[in-house]
Amino acid sequence: MASVAFLGLGVMGFPMAGHLSKAGHVVRVWNRTAAKAHDWAGQYQGQACDSVEAAVTDADCVLMCLGDDPDVRAVAEIALPAMKAGAVLVDHTTASAELARDLYKIANESEIGFLDAPVSGGQAGAENGQLSIMCGGDDSVFAKAEPIMDAYAKAIVHAGPAGAGQLTKMVNQICIAGLVQGLAEGLHFAKSAGLDPETVISAVSKGAAQSWQMENRWRTMVQGEFDFGFAVNWMRKDLRIALEEARTNGARLPAAALVDQFYAEIEAMGGGRWDTSSLIARLENAERT
């Protein structure tokens, strides 16, 4: 068992830190809103800290799950000087590969290991300890962190050097964007054609069109329920990162760019906190107008 610190207790971080406690690790937590850390300590075995420094001091592994690049950089700049040599800093935030490479260099200068380790699986995956984690960093650092991350993971893949985890997560989000848009159009078409969506899904979900999104989201999409999983605001942030990276590496992402515009329309409809399956609402709203 290890001494670990978890920084950032949002809808993902809160249960992830809980799984670490349940696994028997000695856990200290910090959150920008201190009350959230104390709420966590009221539910799990562990200590709430009112400063980043207090949380990370003497920790073997420090894990972060924050919002965006500026949040990660600001917290890491406080955490790294307070961490002991030989410790590992793991960033579960979906952030840029450029930031991951920067933090890797800064951490190495202090003899601290660094992994960029974004996750996939959403809130449900975090709560059930069934996240997929894609990691970038050195082999030796990955070997140290993997047994700790296993507390909330169903799959952990070492994708390559620093930045590779974030790049792999970008692939994940690019694929999801296209899948959800295709599913939204298919369901919209079925309804417009007078077909029963459940009958249609029973026919197509056992063939090549099958996907996790279809299995888990078709019914709520048809019912206009969009309070499940990953919010549109966050998906747009992730697509922005992917599109910026594509401008650097020369990749062409016309579908991802188009779906990002569609999500902007969902935001304009007031759906920024709806989940990503809400793309169908844009089609139905256009039909009504």
Side-chain angles (χ1 to χ4, degrees):
M1 297 300 103
S3 173
V4 302
F6 205 102
L7 312 178
L9 299 173
V11 295
M12 302 291 287
F14 197 102
M16 290 165 72
H19 286 296
L20 290 169
S21 176
K22 291 176 182 178
H25 298 295
V26 178
V27 184
R28 295 194 295 270
V29 298
W30 170 88
N31 192 68
R32 184 174 286 111
T33 304
K36 197 71 173 288
H38 291 281
D39 287 345
W40 182 92
Q43 296 185 39
Y44 300 101
Q45 186 70 35
Q47 179 184 351
C49 298
D50 292 329
S51 70
V52 171
E53 295 93 337
V56 307
T57 299
D58 295 326
D60 301 309
C61 184
V62 176
L63 306 113
M64 303 188 295
C65 193
L66 304 166
D68 204 344
D69 279 29
D71 308 302
V72 174
R73 190 178 293 277
V75 172
E77 287 177 352
I78 299 171
L80 284 168
M83 292 173 63
K84 66 181 182 182
V88 174
L89 177 62
V90 177
D91 183 24
H92 285 310
T93 314
T94 297
S96 70
E98 180 181 7
L99 175 61
R101 298 183 192 107
D102 287 348
L103 292 181
Y104 171 83
K105 293 175 183 176
I106 295 168
N108 277 357
E109 290 171 0
S110 300
E111 299 181 7
I112 294 169
F114 176 80
L115 286 182
D116 52 291
V119 302
S120 179
Q123 183 176 348
E127 292 173 349
N128 296 324
Q130 294 290 297
L131 293 171
S132 294
I133 308 176
M134 43 221 89
C135 302
D138 296 338
D139 291 339
S140 59
V141 177
F142 177 76
K144 286 183 180 180
E146 184 180 19
I148 296 171
M149 296 186 293
D150 189 60
Y152 42 77
K154 68 175 179 180
I156 307 174
V157 175
H158 187 197
Q166 297 295 356
L167 293 171
T168 303
K169 179 61 184 289
M170 292 175 207
V171 174
N172 186 79
Q173 301 306 75
I174 292 164
C175 292
I176 288 174
L179 282 169
V180 177
Q181 177 62 21
L183 179 58
E185 291 184 16
L187 291 170
H188 175 64
F189 178 89
K191 291 170 68 178
S192 298
L195 298 173
D196 173 54
E198 185 164 8
T199 301
V200 170
I201 293 298
S202 69
V204 305
S205 63
K206 304 302 186 287
Q210 190 276 338
S211 69
W212 185 96
Q213 297 291 337
M214 179 179 288
E215 293 287 343
N216 291 275
R217 291 289 178 262
W218 79 264
R219 191 180 300 276
T220 51
M221 290 172 75
V222 169
Q223 294 170 345
E225 299 173 1
F226 307 122
D227 55 350
F228 306 92
F230 196 58
V232 167
N233 291 154
W234 291 114
M235 184 59 157
R236 290 210 70 208
K237 183 265 291 187
D238 291 359
L239 289 175
R240 184 201 79 223
I241 291 171
L243 291 167
E244 288 173 351
E245 184 69 29
R247 284 191 283 272
T248 300
N249 66 24
R252 298 174 63 243
L253 305 178
L258 184 60
V259 175
D260 180 54
Q261 294 176 34
F262 293 162
Y263 278 127
E265 293 182 30
I266 296 292
E267 287 181 324
M269 292 167 57
R273 299 305 301 168
W274 294 348
D275 71 65
T276 52
S277 69
S278 58
L279 282 172
I280 193 171
R282 169 187 164 273
L283 299 172
E284 296 183 341
N285 184 65
E287 184 179 63
R288 287 192 294 270
T289 57

